[in-house]
Amino acid sequence: MNWDTEFAISIIPQLLQGLVVTIQATVIGYVVALILGLAVAILRRVDYIGPVVFVVFEFIRTTPVLVQLLFVFALAPPTVAPLTIGISVLGVHYAAYTAEVYRSGIEGVAKGQWEACRALSLPPLRVWGAVVMPQAIRKVIPPLGNYLISMFKDTPYLFAITVPEMMFMAKAIGTEAFRSMEAYTLAGLFFLAVSVPSAVIIRRLERRYAAV
Amino acid sequence: MDFFLNRFPAYLDGALITLTVTVLGSALAFVLAMVVGIVGTLRNPAARAVATVYTEAFRGVAALVLLFWFAYAVPQITPYELSPMFAGVLALGLNVGAYGAEVVRAAINAVPRAQTEATIALNMSWGRRMWLVLLPQAWAQMLPTFGNLIIELMKASAIVSLINVADLTDVAGNMRQTTGETVLAYGSAMVMYFAIAQLLIVGMRTLERRANRRLGRAPARGGLRDLLRPPTPGTKVGTAK
């Protein structure tokens, strides 16, 4: 079977529709991961709760996100939209990664900074809000950015729980028209079209923040 | 517990398939990473361009998209039909190999410049310089990231269940359908994935320790307790992609 350009052009709108869902899931899921990851990183330093949080997120981090998606999808009541499940699971899974990044950032803050806070007897909220976090976050912006791209590339998994993202569209087109080549190839190209430019931007950020 | 014990053989079969895909995929990824990574350090701009195109292309596309492309699109344009397992190994190997190539390239370039200059002063050939001086030093630096990549590959291998390979995820799905016990069916699979990951982490740490020892960077003895701590400060297996 040969490449059919006319057919390929005719399916672009459908695939782009899927791409919009893909990007939507990535952006919302990433916000969840950023906020939850920070909470996890801080909770891990608390007595008693810390080790429990650590074990739970270690488990989440070392098991496949696809299995987690299928698991939650099978358990959730049918009234919950698959996209909501997908975004939540991706967000929690990536929170396990971002928590590690935040942790390394927090550990990178010089010991003298903590000692100074104690000497000034700053309340905990100001220690974290005004001293530790501003220094920690600056250093972790590039690695956090990398996870945005990773997450974007993990959104095709949502197709397994019937979210109409790009892979879902590509497969639907393939079954309907009995030709899958164009759809899958275009899906791959669309992925490149988003992830290569974003990788370039992240590398720029990396250089900028590394210089400081 | 009874649920898991009764169905343990089925899960074990699935785990074996997952391990097979992981090992074969990692082997392919390793070879690609080494070759493309070394090509990326060459002075020849054409060779470097080839390496860059490979890494950008296969890093930029999701493994699942590659898998479906190999499994469904390739049979339509070529006379070859890839077996699902082979398509899985190919997709995972090519994808993770691209990440690995970047790691290899960066690690070789991070070896202090004076080492290269010394080999030139000693009139070493390019091959001897790579094999005897640059790679052993770069190797110790690559290993922690390789450990992360292997875990990522193992986790990503779950996608082969979507093209009907009977891996751990596929077994769990079947168990859920036949028994209706969602929590137990998927829970058992996740525990096994977790166990495989811990096994891989310990294995990679042993390799790291050996590499560091060969460079005279670590204490001669390790012991079991040391395996629980990451050998290089600030690195942790299973953290980054």
Side-chain angles (χ1 to χ4, degrees), chain B:
Chain B
M1 202 67 211
D2 270 358
F3 175 93
F4 186 58
L5 286 180
N6 291 338
R7 292 165 181 75
F8 188 65
Y11 276 101
L12 208 58
D13 285 347
L16 273 180
I17 301 272
T18 293
L19 262 181
T20 312
V21 174
T22 305
V23 169
L24 293 179
S26 303
L28 175 63
F30 178 73
V31 172
L32 281 170
M34 278 298 180
V35 172
V36 178
I38 290 175
V39 167
T41 64
L42 296 179
R43 230 188 252 168
N44 185 336
R48 274 212 317 263
V50 171
T52 310
V53 168
Y54 166 76
T55 37
E56 291 303 335
F58 286 96
R59 260 194 330 182
V61 183
L64 184 64
V65 180
L66 277 179
L67 178 75
F68 275 48
W69 199 74
F70 283 127
Y72 299 126
V74 165
Q76 291 192 353
I77 36 172
T78 64
Y80 304 105
E81 181 120 7
L82 308 178
S83 85
M85 186 122 148
F86 183 62
V89 169
L90 211 57
L92 291 167
L94 282 166
N95 186 231
V96 177
Y99 284 98
E102 262 313 286
V103 177
V104 172
R105 194 186 59 80
I108 293 175
N109 284 339
V111 175
R113 181 115 186 86
Q115 299 280 331
T116 311
E117 285 162 4
T119 58
I120 295 170
L122 291 170
N123 201 21
M124 274 188 173
S125 66
W126 177 84
R128 283 168 64 82
R129 177 199 310 166
M130 258 307 156
W131 186 248
L132 294 175
V133 179
L134 297 184
L135 278 181
Q137 296 183 61
W139 179 243
Q141 211 191 338
M142 297 170 203
L143 275 176
T145 323
F146 275 173
N148 296 337
L149 288 178
I150 287 182
I151 306 275
E152 288 304 327
L153 195 148
M154 187 275 289
K155 282 163 55 187
S157 77
I159 56 174
V160 296
S161 66
L162 298 174
I163 54 165
N164 300 323
V165 177
D167 78 332
L168 204 42
T169 308
D170 191 60
V171 170
N174 288 339
M175 286 297 169
R176 188 186 92 81
Q177 273 186 351
T178 50
T179 63
E181 300 271 10
T182 306
V183 177
L184 287 172
Y186 282 122
S188 312
M190 281 199 265
V191 169
M192 291 196 81
Y193 273 115
F194 182 70
I196 295 175
Q198 300 309 313
L199 217 76
L200 292 172
I201 290 174
V202 169
M204 286 310 288
R205 284 200 183 149
T206 315
L207 278 181
E208 263 174 69
R209 230 163 269 286
R210 228 185 53 178
N212 277 323
R213 208 164 39 227
R214 274 209 339 223
L215 294 172
R217 283 180 190 163
R221 279 185 322 107
L224 202 64
R225 248 187 62 215
D226 268 14
L227 288 177
L228 299 172
R229 279 195 300 260
T232 324
T235 60
K236 200 155 176 293
V237 174
T239 48
K241 256 192 195 175

